Amino acid sequence: MERKNVLIADADLQRQRDFETKIKAIHESRSAAPKAMVDTFGCQQNVADSQHIMGMLEAMGCTFTDRAEDADIIVLNTCAIRDHAEKRVFGNLGALTHTKKANPEQIICLCGCMAQRPEVAEKVRKSYRHVDLVFGPQALWKFPQLLYQVYTRRGRVFSIDDEHGQVAEGLPVVREGNIRAWVSIMYGCNNFCSYCIVPYVRGRERSREPEKILAEVRELAEAGYKEITLLGQNVNSYGKDLDRDYDFADLLAAIDEIEGDYLIRFMSSQPKDATYKLFDTMARCKHVAKQLHLPVQSGCDRVLRAMNRPYDRAKYLELITYARKVMPELVLTSDVIIGFPGETEEEAMETVDLVKEVRFDALFTFIFSPRPGTPAAKMDDPVPRSEKQVWFDRLCDAQNEISAQLHAAYVGKTLRCLVDGETDDSRWPLSARTAGGRLVHLVGDKSAIGTYHDVTITDSNTWALFGEMN
Ligand code: SF4
């Protein structure tokens, strides 16, 4: 798609604002302001999308509730990354038949990655007739228009065209609190890893204009946000579709010029697009957290090829060796899939071996979950789940041992941490995050929430650190 067609025209965006106004008028003609419930499943990108859905609902005159029985409008923003996530959503949809029976005017919407899957939309069309609106991630910016159709046509609306995807600027947003903010810098993915459903439900890669991102980050920094996370399915390929030579490292360097007491994080990264330039820029930028989430997925080259991950074990090790050289304090995390179709025990143990060699600070571990519509779902998969579980447990044992050792090394150190909330544990009433993103259970005064503080680490376990504010 030509760049000029990727950006949605201001006139089309304004039409959506007009639909919000029309719906607000409908709502105002009723006795009470409508309540909306937005339920989010899955990744940070979905959290960011839900904040825009809430922004649009707020512009329609809605207030918010987390009780389905009290809601006039319910939006389930779904995830398709694993079978388990989809089963949960169908369970929730089933439960909503009761709230709809109690309030026939209730409007139920299904959106997000799961809704974009044609077979899911068909199942909802046939078997979940209480669902009024189904739309995919690429249609999110048109939510006001789609909801207006539901109101005026008094019929069900489905919007799940398989489209390239565009970029909508200036959507209303309701952020959670004033400490952390999510800023999408790009959407979609062109990588087609053989197990992944994302490219089929989130469209092709498309970057926002750098100036728009810089303006949003500047606004957040001036508003006092302490942590800003840049989001994309693969942030490392940011800028490839721009009409100029401008990549992710250039964006980070430009953001770093913005004054303020804030930290920048980013996710997710694909090793194939990770560069020395990026690591040098991270090392040089004072606002960029020395934290990197770099999913390796497997330690076996044959399995990486079968996953369509265009790097090998040696390349991955070369990348993180350089990253650790220029950022010795780097906190490194990753994702690993065990039990990929055709993987042998020996190959799975190559992944365990890589984990022992790299010594990640933390690891997100998964047993392969076939996603209908992906190449991997059609591959021979002879190994029983019970055997994969044994490999998975060995992987987790190895990583837990490493995490415990790396956490123990923090004891006695003083770290600058962002105090971000209260806990219900009277011994450790506060929670915080180190610059590297490690969780700290904290003793201190809750007036510190939302600020950076020096914290002395007094204890640790596999999952977290413990400390007291200085
Ligand atoms: S890079 Fe990530 S989002 Fe893209 S296809 Fe691969 S796993 Fe999926």
Side-chain angles (χ1 to χ4, degrees), residues 3 208-215 238 242 244 246 251 254:
R3 179 68 192 166
R208 293 178 64 196
E209 292 293 321
E211 293 74 17
K212 297 285 185 186
I213 298 168
L214 291 168
Y238 172 81
L242 293 175
R244 59 190 123 158
Y246 193 99
L251 180 67

Side-chain angles (χ1 to χ4, degrees), residues 143-157:
F143 173 50
Q145 178 181 347
L146 299 169
L147 190 59
Y148 187 74
Q149 285 170 11
V150 171
Y151 271 118
T152 51
R153 279 200 212 152
R154 302 206 61 72
R156 308 172 75 197
V157 174

Side-chain angles (χ1 to χ4, degrees), residues 189 191-193 195-196 198-199 233 270 309:
C189 186
N191 290 315
F192 290 91
C193 300
Y195 53 83
C196 184
V198 171
Q233 306 299 340
Q270 226 281 19
R309 304 274 292 176

Side-chain angles (χ1 to χ4, degrees), residues 249-266:
D250 299 327
L251 180 67
L252 281 183
I255 288 174
D256 197 54
E257 312 262 322
I258 298 171
E259 290 305 315
D261 182 18
Y262 65 91
L263 210 55
I264 293 287
R265 301 189 192 282
F266 56 84

Side-chain angles (χ1 to χ4, degrees), residues 239-314:
K240 286 187 174 175
D241 60 319
L242 293 175
D243 289 342
R244 59 190 123 158
D245 184 12
Y246 193 99
D247 65 15
F248 183 51
D250 299 327
L251 180 67
L252 281 183
I255 288 174
D256 197 54
E257 312 262 322
I258 298 171
E259 290 305 315
D261 182 18
Y262 65 91
L263 210 55
I264 293 287
R265 301 189 192 282
F266 56 84
M267 62 167 76
S268 282
S269 294
Q270 226 281 19
K272 88 173 202 348
D273 297 311
T275 61
Y276 285 15
K277 177 184 174 184
L278 171 62
F279 300 146
D280 290 338
T281 305
M282 289 176 70
R284 202 177 54 241
C285 291
K286 62 184 181 304
H287 290 291
V288 176
K290 310 310 177 233
Q291 178 218 348
L292 180 64
H293 181 66
L294 196 63
V296 67
Q297 302 299 8
S298 173
C300 169
D301 289 351
R302 188 199 67 76
V303 173
L304 285 170
R305 285 193 298 277
M307 287 177 166
N308 191 30
R309 304 274 292 176
Y311 55 87
D312 60 14
R313 183 187 174 112

Side-chain angles (χ1 to χ4, degrees), residues 292 320 324 328-334 354-363 397-413 415 434 436-440 457-466:
L292 180 64
I320 56 156
R324 283 175 165 167
E329 75 278 36
L330 182 72
V331 168
L332 180 66
T333 59
S334 192
L354 177 87
V355 163
K356 289 178 180 169
E357 181 176 351
V358 172
R359 295 179 63 76
F360 294 103
D361 292 81
L363 206 56
D397 292 348
Q399 181 56 44
N400 291 347
E401 197 181 315
I402 293 164
S403 293
Q405 290 164 359
L406 293 176
H407 278 168
Y410 284 93
V411 176
K413 289 193 175 149
L415 303 169
T434 67
R438 309 319 305 145
L439 173 61
V440 184
I457 304 302
T458 54
D459 199 357
S460 71
N461 65 21
T462 303
W463 318 107
L465 307 173
F466 300 82

